[in-house]
Amino acid sequence: KVGDDRRTSASRLDGTVRVLGKGVDRVTVGQRASFVIDTSEVGAGTLSVTVDGPSKVDMDCSELERGYEVSYTPTISGDYLVTVKYNGVNVEGSPFKVVAVGSAAGAGGGNSQGTVKARRESTTLSMETIQHTLYKQETMFSSEANAGSRNNTRQLPVQFNSDASECTAQGAGLRSPIIGRQNSFSVDCSRAGNNVLYVGVYGPDYPCEEVQIRHEGNRQYRVSYCLRDRGDYLIFVKWGDDHIPGSPFLVQV
């Protein structure tokens, strides 16, 4: 049931995917809200989270032992819908109706109720998962120190044996992207062994708001993204810790 107050204490289950936390119930404007998606009992799949409301939100995702923690910050009061899908199917309770109360610091003027937009805005985060391993657009760095520390505390569920030089990428999204439209390109890792695909789009000042990675089978992927500003962009494509041939790709808009 959408809007059920019991969701803060009870998990939401779709087969073996559970969603729990105050971030899918009642949140405060200007404060970080979070919820947990428990994917500990599922294998490889596509996880997507969309927050739709009176404003875009700053959304992030981090890996946990049993799944992922999604956090976001609403900037305008009102009703938001948080949609959580696994393999294209809503988990039970999704979309979750979330009420944001309060007003952002410094929101001005004589409107004590805060600013309310008539137009709805959406922010989406999509990930390809292999058990507890995250394909995440924001993660474009490698820290040997952190990796070593984590490997000492737990064993990875899969062993990677790959060669990034065998990957290929092609498509208009790597040559001539268009502002305000979905740009896409394909990445073929079918001959590159087993690993995790990382994609990031950066520039000219900030990372791209939304990057989606879709696994189409046999380690072949479709990547799509949308740009809103002109300038030079760098597209990072990595298979595990290594860049594929041509990465980072420089594109001009």
Side-chain angles (χ1 to χ4, degrees):
K1 179 181 177 182
V2 176
D4 191 341
D5 289 338
R6 294 173 297 172
R7 77 167 57 100
T8 57
S9 59
S11 62
R12 292 296 183 253
L13 180 63
D14 178 22
T16 52
V17 179
R18 294 178 288 273
V19 179
L20 61 155
K22 292 184 178 180
V24 287
D25 184 21
R26 189 176 180 87
V27 299
T28 302
V29 171
Q31 296 185 12
R32 206 74 171 162
S34 64
F35 58 92
V36 172
I37 304 174
D38 186 343
T39 61
S40 59
E41 299 179 11
V42 298
T46 301
L47 180 66
S48 67
V49 180
T50 299
V51 179
D52 177 84
S55 73
K56 281 187 172 293
V57 299
D58 177 21
M59 183 160 52
D60 195 11
C61 183
S62 57
E63 185 179 5
L64 303 175
E65 183 177 355
R66 297 184 60 85
Y68 308 100
E69 181 181 52
V70 177
S71 59
Y72 64 97
T73 304
T75 58
I76 295 177
S77 61
D79 293 337
Y80 291 76
L81 290 178
V82 177
T83 302
V84 181
K85 292 185 177 181
Y86 195 77
N87 287 337
V89 179
N90 277 299
V91 303
E92 185 168 331
S94 175
F96 301 91
K97 182 179 179 181
V98 180
V99 179
V101 297
S103 59
N111 186 1
S112 61
Q113 300 298 320
T115 303
V116 178
K117 285 186 177 180
R119 187 179 67 178
R120 306 284 291 184
E121 307 240 20
S122 294
T123 306
T124 299
L125 183 67
S126 296
M127 298 150 277
E128 290 287 339
T129 64
I130 298 180
Q131 294 190 356
H132 301 158
T133 302
L134 177 65
Y135 294 59
K136 189 179 172 197
Q137 76 232 28
E138 294 91 350
T139 305
M140 291 307 304
F141 61 89
S142 173
S143 172
E144 294 182 0
N146 288 342
S149 173
R150 294 179 66 181
N151 288 338
N152 289 334
T153 58
R154 66 186 178 100
Q155 184 177 1
L156 290 175
V158 292
Q159 296 298 318
F160 297 122
N161 183 17
S162 63
D163 182 1
S165 67
E166 293 293 331
C167 298
T168 59
Q170 60 181 347
L174 293 176
R175 300 190 306 269
S176 52
I178 301 174
I179 290 180
R181 297 186 183 179
Q182 284 293 320
N183 301 283
S184 65
F185 60 92
S186 62
V187 182
D188 186 350
C189 306
S190 59
R191 298 182 299 174
N194 181 34
N195 218 311
V196 178
L197 181 67
Y198 297 89
V199 179
V201 180
Y202 186 88
D205 297 313
Y206 305 101
C208 178
E209 289 182 355
E210 298 175 13
V211 179
Q212 298 185 21
I213 305 173
R214 180 177 180 82
H215 183 225
E216 298 184 327
N218 193 31
R219 299 190 181 94
Q220 298 190 52
Y221 301 86
R222 172 66 58 178
V223 179
S224 60
Y225 63 94
C226 183
L227 304 178
R228 302 190 183 279
D229 300 308
R230 296 187 181 277
D232 294 336
Y233 288 80
L234 287 175
I235 300 178
F236 298 84
V237 183
K238 299 178 72 174
W239 186 235
D241 291 333
D242 301 318
H243 287 275
I244 74 167
S247 175
F249 299 88
L250 174 64
V251 297
Q252 297 180 327
V253 182

